[in-house]
Amino acid sequence: MNEFNFINVVKYIILGLIQGICEILPVSSSGHLIIVSELLNINDESISFELFLHLASLLAIIIYTRKDIIKLISNTFKYIKTRDIMYKEDFRYIMYLIISCIPICIVTLLFEDIIDYVNKTIWLIGIFLMINGLVLHLVSKKDNSRNEILFKDAIMIGLFQSIAIVPGLSRSGMCISGGITSGLDKKKTIDYSFILFIPIIVIAILKEILFGFKFSNFNVGLYLISFIISFIFTCLSLKILKKVINSNKFKWFGYYTFVIGMIVCVYFLGK
């Protein structure tokens, strides 16, 4: 178990900071966490530490999107009860979210061994970071104007999200790329991606609790520090991404992940 001392506190602050920033920004939080954990020599296998940090990001996103969530859930139940057409759009939005969740659930179950292998092969994460950068660069050139979510958007976003099961490929980045590729404008795609994060992480946490959760050998204090830092910086990142999209600087995330990917490949292949 990691001891509660100054060095470890700093390490876990860094991990919380990385999760908070990288979960929302399209740069792969899982990839960054694995790389930095390797560099800082943090071997935390007591419970899924990454999912614990995801819980902090989940809480931040729920608070950030709470009005939209309440509206969607409320109107969905109203539509089921009354079949009033004025609530149909929100009901359909919920159905699209469910559809978008299906591909990643299937892919995760089918390719769990491959995911585990990539998690332990740092230079491969570098390759996927480079791929992430190329995808973001390509979609940043598109300028769509459609802001209505369609069935094809839910499918495309779900398919793109499903390839982000490996660290290095950003879930938010692939969701945004899928929406833009489908013809949806960036702002609407980001809003959809934020809300889609909620059921995806809930499913992942439930899976971990049911099949992999362990209650021993972890330092509650260190985990709470990372949780709080992750929550705070997730809130800040939500605002940053909105501003970046509005200023048409989305491509810079692509440049960043490509360069970081190259550095990771060179460093870990040379060890």
Side-chain angles (χ1 to χ4, degrees), residues 16 49 76 83 87 98 131 135 144 157-158 160 162 192 200 236 240 259:
F49 178 64
T76 293
R83 296 294 175 177
Y87 304 123
I98 294 172
I131 294 172
V135 173
N144 304 325
I157 291 171
F160 268 70
S162 69
Y192 186 83
I200 289 296
L236 294 175
I240 291 172
V259 171

Side-chain angles (χ1 to χ4, degrees), residues 172-261:
S172 65
M174 292 303 103
C175 284
I176 294 168
S177 298
I180 294 172
T181 301
S182 185
L184 197 60
D185 86 307
K186 292 186 181 75
K187 185 180 181 302
K188 193 69 175 181
T189 304
I190 287 174
D191 291 339
Y192 186 83
S193 175
F194 286 169
I195 296 178
L196 180 59
F197 177 86
I198 296 170
I200 289 296
I201 294 303
V202 168
I203 292 169
I205 290 172
L206 288 175
K207 175 179 176 291
E208 187 68 20
I209 290 173
L210 292 172
F211 302 109
F213 194 88
K214 298 177 183 178
F215 289 96
S216 60
N217 299 324
F218 68 96
N219 192 302
V220 176
L222 293 175
Y223 272 45
L224 285 177
I225 288 172
S226 288
F227 184 94
I228 293 168
I229 296 296
S230 177
F231 173 80
I232 293 170
F233 279 88
T234 298
C235 293
L236 294 175
S237 297
L238 286 162
K239 296 181 179 180
I240 291 172
L241 184 56
K242 284 287 187 76
K243 288 183 179 180
V244 169
I245 291 298
N246 291 334
S247 62
N248 293 318
K249 294 180 180 178
F250 188 68
K251 61 185 178 182
W252 289 101
F253 293 123
Y255 298 155
Y256 167 78
T257 53
F258 188 86
V259 171
I260 289 295

Side-chain angles (χ1 to χ4, degrees), residues 71-83:
K71 175 176 173 289
L72 285 169
I73 295 174
S74 175
N75 288 350
T76 293
F77 280 110
K78 287 177 182 177
Y79 178 77
I80 293 172
K81 184 177 180 180
T82 66
R83 296 294 175 177

Side-chain angles (χ1 to χ4, degrees), residues 4 11 27 32 40 56 84 98 122 171 175 180 202 248 261:
F4 193 91
K11 288 180 178 180
V27 296
H32 279 73
L40 296 180
D84 191 325
I98 294 172
I122 310 295
R171 190 208 66 86
C175 284
I180 294 172
V202 168
N248 293 318

Side-chain angles (χ1 to χ4, degrees), residues 27-72:
V27 296
S28 180
S29 63
S30 58
H32 279 73
L33 282 173
I34 293 172
I35 292 165
V36 173
S37 294
E38 179 72 16
L39 293 173
L40 296 180
N41 194 29
I42 300 175
N43 299 311
D44 204 321
E45 299 177 353
S46 55
I47 67 170
S48 180
F49 178 64
E50 183 184 344
L51 275 181
F52 186 79
L53 291 185
H54 274 118
L55 185 60
S57 294
L58 174 64
L59 179 60
I61 292 175
I62 289 175
I63 293 172
Y64 185 83
T65 62
R66 64 191 181 280
K67 292 181 180 179
D68 292 331
I69 294 169
I70 293 171
K71 175 176 173 289
L72 285 169

Side-chain angles (χ1 to χ4, degrees), residues 82-96:
T82 66
R83 296 294 175 177
D84 191 325
I85 195 159
M86 69 180 294
Y87 304 123
K88 187 174 183 179
E89 183 178 348
D90 288 326
F91 169 79
R92 191 164 50 201
Y93 198 98
I94 292 288
M95 294 302 103
Y96 289 161

